[in-house]
């Protein structure tokens, strides 16, 4: 199973429009962050988690050849606004593409993209052709088992996902403010854990770096990666300060397990 970080930034992306802070002005490519999303691939099956506003750019940059399913963590703009560009994969594959999410997330997608699902075969209209699946339990795509797990993220229904293939497991939780003891227990001992770490200061809907480290220690993954960082986080500075086995993700990073 291969995990590609398509984007590792918070909702504004980094650099932020009109900001001249050291991270936004940094020449380090690891400080350039598109909106958070990952690509999961195993045996030629490709899953994309969230369709960020940068999805088109990400699909081109990382040469995504096909999309067998889209999984949504939640319906905030930075995780859904690239959804329309999925239509290109309908054309390439000549097939409807399934999209998964919590029931509330699917309802929000139907509202935000009210034209999706309206007679996609109409000649000359290139709308995404989507089959929605409201989920709250483990399901399977190709040979990849997927388990959605709920987290608290400012009141909006939000999932993280655990992917399992050939007994290897990875968890992706980009937007999280609090994680219940039951979810932490489920994640304990996972191979790779990817978790929200927005910034050093408190935030109403995201984990701080300190809180993220505390949860990652409880989970005790073989290796851990932080994501969804804002411009307060300089990649190298945070990377150097983290405990052994914990890392800061960056756009284009590929993990193989
Ligand atoms: Zn987000
Ligand atoms: Zn900045
Ligand atoms: Zn969010």
């Amino acid at each position: 199973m291969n995990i590609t970080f398509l984007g590792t930034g918070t909702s504004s992306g980094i650099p932020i429009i009109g900001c001249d802070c050291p991270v936004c002005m940094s020449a380090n490519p690891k400080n350039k962050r598109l909106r958070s999303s990952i690509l999961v691939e195993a045996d030629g099956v490709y899953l994309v988690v969230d369709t960020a506003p940068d999805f088109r750019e990400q699909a081109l940059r990382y040469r995504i050849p096909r999309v067998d399913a889209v999984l949504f963590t939640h319906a905030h703009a930075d995780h859904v606004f690239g959804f329309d560009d999925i239509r290109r994969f309908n054309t390439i594959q000549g097939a409807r593409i399934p999209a998964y999410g919590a029931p509330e997330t699917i309802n929000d997608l139907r509202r935000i993209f009210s034209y999706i699902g309206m007679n996609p075969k109409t000649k000359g209209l290139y709308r995404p052709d989507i089959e929605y699946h409201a989920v709250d339990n483990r399901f399977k795509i190709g040979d990849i088992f997927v388990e959605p797990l709920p987290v608290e993220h400012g009141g909006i229904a939000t999932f993280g996902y655990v992917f399992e293939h050939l007994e290897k497991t990875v968890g992706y939780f980009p937007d999280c403010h609090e994680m219940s003891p039951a979810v932490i227990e489920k994640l304990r001992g996972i191979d790779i854990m990817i978790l929200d770490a927005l910034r050093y200061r408190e935030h109403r809907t995201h984990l701080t770096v300190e809180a993220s480290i505390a949860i990652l220690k409880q989970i005790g993954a073989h290796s851990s990666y932080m994501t969804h960082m804002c411009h307060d986080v300089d990649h190298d500075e945070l990377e150097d300060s983290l405990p052994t086995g914990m890392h800061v993700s960056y756009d284009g990073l590929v993990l193989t397990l």
Side-chain angles (χ1 to χ4, degrees):
M1 183 160 52
N2 295 301
I3 309 295
T4 305
F5 287 86
L6 302 175
T8 59
T10 191
S11 57
S12 57
I14 315 297
I16 295 179
I17 295 169
C19 184
D20 59 2
C21 80
V23 172
C24 287
M25 299 297 280
S26 167
N28 183 352
K30 292 178 180 173
N31 281 331
K32 310 277 180 225
R33 303 178 184 123
L34 298 179
R35 268 60 71 89
S36 290
S37 175
I38 59 167
L39 181 71
V40 178
E41 182 273 326
D43 294 336
V45 171
Y46 291 80
L47 316 181
V48 66
V49 185
D50 295 325
T51 53
D54 303 307
F55 178 67
R56 175 180 171 275
E57 176 67 24
Q58 293 164 332
L60 291 169
R61 188 185 288 184
Y62 300 109
R63 298 179 172 277
I64 299 177
R66 57 180 291 120
V67 172
D68 293 285
V70 186
L71 281 61
F72 288 100
T73 57
H74 62 306
H76 277 159
D78 55 325
H79 297 260
V80 305
F81 274 12
F83 195 25
D84 187 74
D85 288 310
I86 285 293
R87 63 198 164 123
R88 176 59 188 146
F89 293 99
N90 290 126
T91 303
I92 290 171
Q93 295 158 213
R96 184 166 284 184
I97 293 173
Y100 297 81
E104 295 91 330
T105 305
I106 299 298
N107 285 344
D108 282 343
L109 287 166
R110 287 188 191 279
R111 179 177 50 78
I112 297 165
F113 299 94
S114 57
Y115 63 96
I116 291 181
M118 290 169 59
N119 194 11
K121 295 279 192 288
T122 305
K123 194 170 164 51
L125 290 178
Y126 299 99
R127 293 173 176 145
D129 188 3
I130 300 297
E131 181 179 278
Y132 285 113
H133 296 268
V135 288
D136 60 4
N137 250 309
R138 193 170 146 105
F139 55 97
K140 197 179 179 190
I141 304 166
D143 287 332
I144 307 171
F145 287 100
V146 184
E147 181 163 23
L149 293 170
V151 292
E152 201 285 313
H153 174 49
I156 186 172
T158 304
F159 280 161
Y161 288 100
V162 175
F163 301 94
E164 183 183 340
H165 182 255
L166 300 177
E167 294 179 17
K168 297 289 185 188
T169 48
V170 53
Y172 181 65
F173 291 70
D175 290 57
C176 175
H177 180 241
E178 278 174 36
M179 191 178 279
S180 71
V183 169
I184 291 174
E185 191 55 43
K186 278 210 162 198
L187 294 170
R188 215 177 282 270
I190 198 167
D191 291 310
I192 294 176
M193 179 64 196
I194 304 161
L195 183 60
D196 185 347
L198 180 76
R199 65 185 190 190
Y200 302 99
R201 288 176 296 127
E202 289 285 328
H203 189 277
R204 201 172 51 80
T205 63
H206 289 278
L207 288 167
T208 61
V209 168
E210 190 184 357
S212 190
I213 290 172
I215 292 176
L216 289 172
K217 279 184 176 166
Q218 291 181 66
I219 292 169
H222 184 259
S223 51
S224 304
Y225 291 83
M226 295 180 173
T227 193
H228 209 293
M229 284 78 62
C230 85
H231 66 160
D232 293 347
V233 176
D234 175 83
H235 180 279
D236 293 356
E237 196 179 289
L238 178 56
E239 177 76 24
D240 290 347
S241 76
L242 289 178
T244 310
M246 289 188 200
H247 304 279
V248 186
S249 67
Y250 54 88
D251 292 20
L253 173 64
V254 180
L255 306 175
T256 298
L257 71 171

